[in-house]
Amino acid sequence: MTAALQQLRGHWSGFNEVSFVAGMRLLFWICRVFGRWPFRIVLYPVLAWYVLTNARARRVSRAYLRRIAACGGPANLSVLRHFAAFAETILDKMLLWGGLYDTRSVSLHGVDGEDGVNRCLDEGRGALLICAHLGNQDLCRVLSQRNARLKLTVLVHTRHAQAFNRMLERLNPDSQLNLMQVTEITPATAMLLAEKVAQGEFVVIAGDRVAVSPQPRVAVAPFLGQAAAFPIGPYVLASVLQCPVYLLFSMRVGQRSEVHFELFRESLHLPRKAREAMLAELAAAYAARLQHHCLRAPLEWFNFYDFWQLPDTSRLDTPDAPR
């Protein structure tokens, strides 16, 4: 087996995150007809079977939860609860696109004020939103459909979750709108996105998954007590777009869903001589905010692979070494 194939096996795209979602159709029906608690009663036996039969999923979830505890988070969290939170989020996405989720209960933060995202909307300016695989990001897309001024283009790589996407599309065809399949940011992609931002649109890109590419470029930053690889694509794209950059975090805290917009940079310039140091600084700043929110809602981070396994460790001599 080649080294490339071995690396792919440890990459997030090599995992079917929603491999247990086939039964969500039945669970969705149970929730819709009988309510959330009957849904949970049926859910836990399904989850128990999944966790017992998937050693890799158990291992990576347990490792993440141990890091949470070591960094001052709760020490009594279980793998079963972690996957239950994932299943609840899948259900919420289905309820959202099925028109059965009350978005009025969502708490919005960082919208108004001098640094709020509404400032860009008022000025007719576009922006870059760097999100994470934390909580339910579809909340932002549904909310944007109810605000005519907020137009989103979401960069995604979802070919590993086609069955789930088809399920959402059957619930609501709009679930697939404003999605742009991207494996890497090419000059042509950057030009297209620059046009969208110039027209006042918001571009959304994940900051916590390395690109699906033979040689993705990353910066290494501390996260939950150990170095991890973060993509530099969001920051390179931001330097091209020359627009405000916000961090976007969505999560369930207690019984409420929250969406946070945090101004990251008014604009971003990568100097040629200090480029690597700047990329490392930006990745570290993003990782610090991600860690903050993971500690607030530790069961809401859904990267079920070995996030701290640095790809091609022999080439970690610079913060954005290609791999």
Side-chain angles (χ1 to χ4, degrees), residues 65-242:
L65 295 176
R66 285 173 178 167
R67 295 181 191 281
I68 286 288
C71 291
N76 60 343
L77 301 178
S78 67
V79 172
L80 187 63
R81 289 181 61 192
H82 193 191
F83 278 93
F86 181 46
E88 296 262 3
T89 298
I90 291 175
L91 174 66
D92 283 343
K93 290 186 178 186
M94 298 171 72
L95 293 172
L96 267 172
W97 293 113
L100 302 173
Y101 190 100
D102 185 5
T103 56
R104 294 173 300 180
S105 65
V106 179
S107 176
L108 299 176
H109 303 264
V111 174
D112 299 314
E114 182 179 350
D115 294 335
V117 74
N118 272 346
R119 179 194 56 159
C120 292
L121 296 177
D122 294 338
E123 297 172 355
R125 303 171 64 195
L128 180 68
L129 305 178
I130 304 178
C131 68
H133 289 82
L134 184 74
N136 185 0
Q137 293 298 330
D138 282 23
L139 275 175
C140 306
R141 294 178 57 212
V142 172
L143 291 172
S144 73
Q145 293 185 353
R146 301 182 181 181
N147 185 340
R149 298 192 305 165
L150 181 58
K151 298 180 180 179
L152 299 179
T153 295
V154 184
L155 307 186
V156 296
H157 179 84
T158 58
R159 292 188 177 93
H160 63 295
Q162 291 180 356
F164 182 59
N165 291 328
R166 285 194 297 269
M167 184 192 306
L168 292 182
E169 188 172 13
R170 282 193 290 269
L171 290 172
N172 188 337
D174 289 349
S175 67
Q176 303 307 300
L177 292 178
N178 304 322
L179 298 180
M180 180 182 293
Q181 288 284 347
V182 175
T183 56
E184 61 179 337
I185 304 296
T186 65
T189 303
M191 290 179 61
L192 175 61
L193 296 177
E195 292 178 3
K196 290 180 176 293
V197 169
Q199 295 169 1
E201 296 190 24
F202 283 51
V203 174
V204 185
I205 185 172
D208 63 342
R209 282 191 182 173
V210 176
V212 182
S213 171
Q215 289 187 322
R217 297 181 66 82
V218 303
V220 176
F223 177 59
L224 290 175
Q226 186 173 333
F230 289 85
I232 65 168
Y235 316 114
V236 174
L237 180 60
S239 71
V240 173
L241 299 181
Q242 285 298 296

Side-chain angles (χ1 to χ4, degrees), residues 265-280:
R265 297 290 188 276
E266 278 290 348
S267 63
L268 204 156
H269 174 67
L270 295 177
R272 182 180 299 272
K273 291 184 178 180
R275 183 173 183 272
E276 294 176 358
M278 176 65 76
L279 288 168

